[in-house]
């Protein structure tokens, strides 16, 4: 194994020009002048674990077309938002559903492996061949989740949390595959 002492480094290699890790967030963090608060700590953690996703302006505009108090899912706008979210680096279906859930929990809930297997009795697919398949899976999941909530008298707004805990309790012997 080589150490820094073994290398004959060029001036170019010793510059910061080659550093490309999370460039937008790195720039924001490098220029913080305010006192740290939890929001800044969250950004630092997201930077460190490489989980920061920069949404473009059009995706944010679409997302903000959802009213927090709407009760009816608009399939067309949901599909368009999901298409944009799932096309964003670092955003997969679980993260996209989480963003939507916090935008409006009356309509959207988080899709994750625990709730999925508790509802369907099988492991949620990990890899998808297309964004369209992910969108279709999520919309079907929301429909099935609502039916389960009606059948078991679970508050839809809390269903992702309730069913997550139920899976942990009743399927604790089944490992989650991340």
């Amino acid at each position: 194994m080589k150490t820094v002492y073994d290398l004959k480094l060029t001036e170019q290699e010793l510059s910061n020009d080659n550093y490309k890790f999370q460039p937008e967030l790195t720039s924001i963090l490098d220029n913080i002048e305010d006192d740290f608060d939890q929001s800044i700590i969250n950004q630092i953690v997201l930077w460190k674990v490489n989980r920061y996703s920069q949404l473009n302006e059009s995706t944010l505009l679409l997302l903000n077309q959802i009213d927090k108090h709407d009760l009816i899912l608009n399939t067309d706008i949901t599909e368009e938002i999901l298409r944009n979210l799932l096309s964003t680096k670092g955003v997969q279906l679980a993260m996209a559903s989480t963003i939507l859930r916090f935008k409006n929990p009356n309509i959207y809930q988080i899709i994750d492996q625990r709730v999925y297997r508790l509802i369907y009795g099988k492991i949620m697919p990990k890899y998808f061949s297309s964004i369209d398949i992910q969108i279709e899976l999520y919309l079907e999941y929301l429909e099935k989740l609502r039916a389960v909530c009606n059948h078991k008298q679970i508050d839809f707004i809390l269903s992702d949390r309730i069913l997550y805990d139920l899976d942990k309790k009743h399927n604790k012997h089944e490992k989650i595959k991340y």
Side-chain angles (χ1 to χ4, degrees):
M1 172 189 311
K2 291 184 179 181
T3 69
V4 69
Y5 301 107
D6 302 320
L7 305 175
K8 291 189 188 282
L9 299 169
T10 67
E11 195 173 308
Q12 174 65 28
E13 289 174 310
L14 293 171
S15 75
N16 192 42
D17 296 340
N18 297 325
Y19 193 76
K20 306 286 187 234
F21 185 77
Q22 293 281 10
E24 296 86 9
L25 184 55
T26 299
S27 177
I28 290 168
L29 295 175
D30 283 346
N31 292 298
I32 293 173
E33 294 188 16
D34 298 332
D35 289 341
F36 277 24
D37 61 12
Q38 189 60 50
S39 176
I40 291 171
I41 297 300
N42 292 345
Q43 288 181 313
I44 292 169
V45 170
L46 292 172
W47 178 87
K48 179 64 177 165
V49 298
N50 197 19
R51 299 295 171 125
Y52 184 76
S53 299
Q54 182 75 37
L55 299 184
N56 62 39
E57 190 63 33
S58 63
T59 302
L60 289 170
L61 287 171
L62 280 170
L63 189 58
N64 286 319
Q65 288 182 27
I66 298 171
D67 185 299
K68 180 131 182 134
H69 306 290
D70 283 347
L71 300 174
I72 299 171
L73 182 133
N74 179 325
T75 304
D76 293 335
I77 193 72
T78 299
E79 287 179 4
E80 191 174 357
I81 292 167
L82 282 169
R83 192 168 316 288
N84 278 268
L85 287 171
L86 295 170
S87 297
T88 302
K89 180 182 174 195
V91 177
Q92 295 178 355
L93 186 55
M95 180 59 71
S97 71
T98 302
I99 292 167
L100 289 170
R101 189 254 183 248
F102 285 105
K103 185 64 178 164
N104 185 330
N106 296 308
I107 299 172
Y108 306 105
Q109 290 292 294
I110 299 169
I111 187 171
D112 80 347
Q113 293 183 44
R114 289 191 179 279
V115 178
Y116 187 92
R117 76 176 179 187
L118 190 64
I119 291 174
Y120 290 97
K122 60 184 180 181
I123 295 171
M124 186 173 97
K126 187 172 182 175
Y127 300 103
F128 300 95
S129 57
S130 72
I131 287 175
D132 289 333
I133 290 172
Q134 293 177 74
I135 293 170
E136 182 179 335
L137 178 88
Y138 183 61
L139 292 175
E140 288 173 1
Y141 168 82
L142 288 175
E143 190 175 310
K144 180 78 168 179
L145 179 59
R146 195 163 292 279
V148 166
C149 289
N150 289 337
H151 179 72
K152 293 291 187 179
Q153 298 183 339
I154 298 169
D155 185 356
F156 184 80
I157 291 174
L158 302 173
S159 62
D160 59 352
R161 297 169 185 185
I162 292 168
L163 294 174
Y164 178 91
D165 282 341
L166 285 172
D167 181 78
K168 282 180 73 172
K169 179 180 178 183
H170 295 284
N171 287 323
K172 62 184 167 195
H173 58 282
E174 300 287 334
K175 293 198 183 242
I176 292 291
K177 296 177 180 148
Y178 293 101

